[in-house]
Amino acid sequence: MRALVYLIILVFGISCNFINRNASSIHQNQIVLDSIYRVEKLDTTKEYRPLSLQYKGKALFKIGEKITKIDTTLSYRIDPNMDYQNYGNIITDYLTLDDYFTIDIGKHSSLNGIGFFSVDKKSKRIFNVSANWYFDLQENDMEQSVIDSITKRLFPVLKDKIQLKNNWIYKLESKNQIEIFKITNREINEGYNLDYEVKLK
C-alpha cells in the first residue's frame, strides 16, 4: 500500500513538472510572438486593406486574415528558406508558385512569379508578405505586352503608373500599410524583375 502511495506521489510530481514546463513554454512562445509582431508592426486590433495583388480577379488576401479564409484553390507550400526558420514552433513560412502568377507572353516569353508569406501557428494570421516576378523576355519589343499583363492580371492598381525602367518605384499607401513596387534591371541574364513588398505602419 505504501509503495502505491509513493508511486502516486511520484507520478503526480512528474505531471506537475510537465504542466509547469508546458505552461512556461507557452508563455515564452507568446513573448517571442509578441516581439515578432512588434518588429513586423502587426497590430491584431487593426483592419488591413486587402492587397492590391490579384488572384483570379480578387485580392489575394489581406494582412491579418486567417489562412483558413483564403481561396482554397491557391497552391502553396512550406518555404525551405524560411524567414522565421528559427521560430518554427510558432511561425510557418510559405511560398506560392501558383500557375496564376506565371504569365506567358508572345511565343517564348513569360513573367514568372513567386510569393512569400508567414503565418502565426496559434491564430493562423497571415503577415510578412512579399513577391517577385522574373521577366523572361526572349523576344523584342515586349514592353507594352509586359505592362498590359501586369496591370490586367496581377496589379490593376498599376495601370498608367508602371514603367519598365531600372529602379522605378511606386508606393501605394493606405491607413495601416504601404505596398511597395520596384522594377530593377538584372545584371546577369539581362532583363527585369518586379519586386513587391507590404510594409505595415
Side-chain angles (χ1 to χ4, degrees), residues 67-139:
I67 194 171
T68 53
K69 298 271 185 77
I70 67 176
D71 192 319
T72 56
T73 64
L74 176 71
S75 63
Y76 56 90
R77 59 182 172 83
I78 291 177
D79 182 359
N81 301 307
M82 306 182 215
D83 281 351
Y84 287 103
Q85 59 184 335
N86 295 325
Y87 304 95
N89 57 327
I90 55 176
I91 302 290
T92 303
D93 293 315
Y94 293 100
L95 65 79
T96 175
L97 289 163
D98 194 281
D99 290 343
Y100 186 84
F101 299 123
T102 293
I103 307 173
D104 292 325
I105 306 172
K107 294 182 179 180
H108 308 290
S109 300
S110 61
L111 308 180
N112 306 294
I114 180 171
F116 305 93
F117 59 96
S118 301
V119 175
D120 164 8
K121 283 187 173 181
K122 182 179 178 181
S123 70
K124 308 300 183 186
R125 288 187 183 94
I126 299 170
F127 66 100
N128 187 34
V129 177
S130 64
N132 175 270
W133 281 266
Y134 178 95
F135 297 13
D136 183 14
L137 306 180
Q138 301 297 325
E139 300 155 74

Side-chain angles (χ1 to χ4, degrees), residues 36-47:
I36 290 172
Y37 275 10
R38 281 194 297 273
V39 170
E40 294 281 352
K41 297 184 179 178
L42 177 62
D43 185 339
T44 59
T45 66
K46 289 182 178 179
E47 182 73 15

Side-chain angles (χ1 to χ4, degrees), residues 154-166:
L154 302 172
F155 295 105
V157 71
L158 294 183
K159 184 174 175 59
D160 299 325
K161 298 180 178 69
I162 187 171
Q163 301 174 37
L164 293 191
K165 62 180 185 181
N166 193 37

